[in-house]
Amino acid sequence: MNWLTQRFELSRGGSGHDIRAMEGLRGFAVFLVFLVHYVTLVAPWVPASSALRGFSGALHAMGNTGVDLFFVLSGYLIYGSLISRDQPFLRFMSRRVERIYPAFLVVFVIYVGLSFAFTADRKIPAALGPGLAYLVENLLLLPGLFPIEPLITVAWSLSYEMLYYLAIPLVIVALGLRKRTPQWRVGLFAAAAVALALAGALYGGHVRLIMFISGILLFEAVTQGRPRAPGSGVGLAALVAGLLCQLLPTSGSAGFTLKISVLFFCFLLLTWTCLSRPTGWLPRAFSWRPVRWLGNMSYSYYLIHGLTLKAGFLVLGAMLPASPRGPVFFWALMAAMFVLTLVPSAILFLTIERPFSLVPRRLQRRLPASAVGSGQSG
């Protein structure tokens, strides 16, 4: 246990209950993402027109909110870091690049290699020019904001993250937000969220960007300490409401905007509860060690779990041809596949993400080997 603790615990600048709850929220978010890919791949083994089929569809819809919870937490952490102190833009961006690219590049190379090994599923254009252009587009994290199919399926969200990294420091400086009152900043960002939501409802577009603003408002609420954060009961009710809202039979850009807008408030309440009232039973549940450790390696897990799942289902299909199965098979296979995804994710985290992204290399040269385990992320 001590060996695992040294490798999967992260300081993130402190060890308080609020930090542990945030780590757990990350773990919960990435498990939601896992559900999306699991129910997609297990579909051939789920009876059509059955209650299980409907339930798996509900899991898929609710699982899609995992990325939105990540956006809220990123909005909170990055805005909090920048609004609290002045930081040179290039230094800030170099840290963001160091945070994102080491693990991403490793998984990117794996995907490129597999694209040439399994040509049936190849996304890279065969022609040299278009193929190189496609690879450069993916390396620059353009899929997501632009209509480009990502090589790594989940990497579309990284373009949203990178846009936020580029934009929020400039907004803070251009509008002098460090000198503004918290009330002024809250009014500004609330208005921006309303404007983005209205534009999304009317014209479509990247309405999910408002989830970063939810994280910004979360930071202002947590640091000001008023109004008083809701209790665990309200936080849980908000989580349930946000997830169930995704099952509403809405369509089009207006329907999607409605669901994202509900998540905006529900995830704000959930995270506010966990960060401001960390001794409550809900944040303590999210602080459970296995959930926190999953959260600490959530980026590595996010990048590589889909590939692991696909490999697992290829093996399953060769051993057990697809045919309708019952709920016991569904749940047992879910548990087995989840455990399977933990292995390569942990390897990527321990060999690449932790040493190259979470612990600055300059500190690795100064600290003894036993101390290079307590890096800081965010």
Side-chain angles (χ1 to χ4, degrees):
M1 181 60 70
N2 186 55
W3 186 91
L4 292 173
T5 299
Q6 290 178 353
R7 286 156 178 80
F8 287 96
E9 289 287 357
L10 296 176
S11 67
R12 297 187 185 277
S15 57
H17 291 283
D18 55 334
I19 302 300
R20 292 196 287 269
M22 183 182 297
E23 292 172 341
L25 286 167
R26 288 180 180 274
F28 176 69
V30 85
F31 181 72
L32 288 174
V33 176
F34 160 80
L35 290 177
V36 173
H37 299 117
Y38 171 75
V39 298
T40 299
L41 292 170
V42 79
W45 285 268
V46 178
S49 303
S50 66
L52 184 59
R53 172 75 70 167
F55 180 74
S56 65
L59 285 181
H60 187 283
M62 292 187 289
N64 278 320
T65 66
V67 173
D68 300 293
L69 183 52
F70 275 126
F71 288 166
V72 174
L73 296 174
S74 290
Y76 171 87
L77 288 168
I78 300 303
Y79 175 77
S81 172
L82 290 168
I83 202 69
S84 300
R85 66 187 189 280
D86 186 22
Q87 299 182 46
F89 179 76
L90 292 180
R91 182 183 301 173
F92 167 76
M93 285 306 303
S94 68
R95 182 70 183 103
R96 294 300 93 207
V97 168
E98 183 181 18
R99 181 67 184 93
I100 285 180
Y101 270 96
F104 172 80
L105 288 175
V106 170
V107 178
F108 181 82
V109 169
I110 293 173
Y111 268 80
V112 171
L114 291 174
S115 295
F116 287 98
F118 300 94
T119 55
D121 296 326
R122 181 172 171 176
K123 299 179 182 179
I124 305 172
L128 180 61
L132 289 175
Y134 176 75
L135 292 177
V136 171
E137 290 168 346
N138 276 267
L139 283 172
L140 294 177
L141 306 179
L142 298 182
L145 289 174
F146 297 93
I148 303 168
E149 183 181 15
L151 179 63
I152 303 172
T153 305
V154 298
W156 66 267
S157 67
L158 297 182
S159 66
Y160 282 59
E161 293 276 356
M162 190 59 72
L163 175 63
Y164 178 64
Y165 298 158
L166 290 167
I168 195 61
L170 302 179
V171 170
I172 289 174
V173 171
L175 300 180
L177 294 187
R178 295 188 188 93
K179 299 178 182 178
R180 303 287 187 176
T181 65
Q183 293 77 15
W184 196 94
R185 296 195 298 260
V186 167
L188 170 71
F189 285 113
V194 171
L196 284 172
L198 288 175
L202 294 174
Y203 309 110
H206 306 293
V207 70
R208 276 178 139 157
L209 290 170
I210 70 171
M211 300 308 292
F212 292 106
I213 300 179
S214 181
I216 290 172
L217 298 179
L218 170 66
F219 178 83
E220 295 289 355
V222 169
T223 54
Q224 294 305 308
R226 62 179 187 272
R228 183 173 172 80
S232 291
V234 174
L236 179 60
L239 172 60
V240 173
L243 295 178
L244 292 180
C245 178
Q246 306 311 302
L247 306 183
L248 292 176
T250 59
S251 61
S253 58
F256 181 70
T257 300
L258 172 64
K259 293 178 179 179
I260 294 298
S261 298
V262 171
L263 280 182
F264 179 95
F265 291 104
C266 289
F267 280 170
L268 175 57
L269 290 173
L270 168 67
T271 51
W272 191 10
T273 295
C274 290
L275 299 184
S276 291
R277 305 184 71 171
T279 58
W281 55 264
L282 183 62
R284 283 191 283 113
F286 279 114
S287 298
W288 186 40
R289 182 178 292 174
V291 181
R292 289 194 299 105
W293 286 0
L294 177 61
N296 287 341
M297 68 170 190
S298 58
Y299 180 53
S300 291
Y301 187 96
Y302 183 74
L303 287 175
I304 206 168
H305 81 280
L307 190 61
T308 309
L309 272 176
K310 191 164 186 178
F313 273 98
L314 285 174
V315 173
L316 176 66
M319 298 173 57
L320 185 67
S323 60
R325 304 279 172 168
V328 174
F329 176 84
F330 180 89
W331 291 109
L333 183 62
M334 178 188 290
M337 288 295 182
F338 179 67
V339 172
L340 177 65
T341 59
L342 293 176
V343 177
S345 302
I347 293 173
L348 180 63
F349 172 73
L350 294 175
T351 61
I352 303 298
E353 183 185 358
R354 177 146 200 164
F356 293 100
S357 293
L358 299 183
V359 181
R361 286 189 285 274
R362 62 182 181 277
L363 294 182
Q364 293 183 30
R365 293 192 293 267
R366 297 176 184 175
L367 297 177
S370 60
V372 179
S374 59
Q376 193 174 14
S377 74

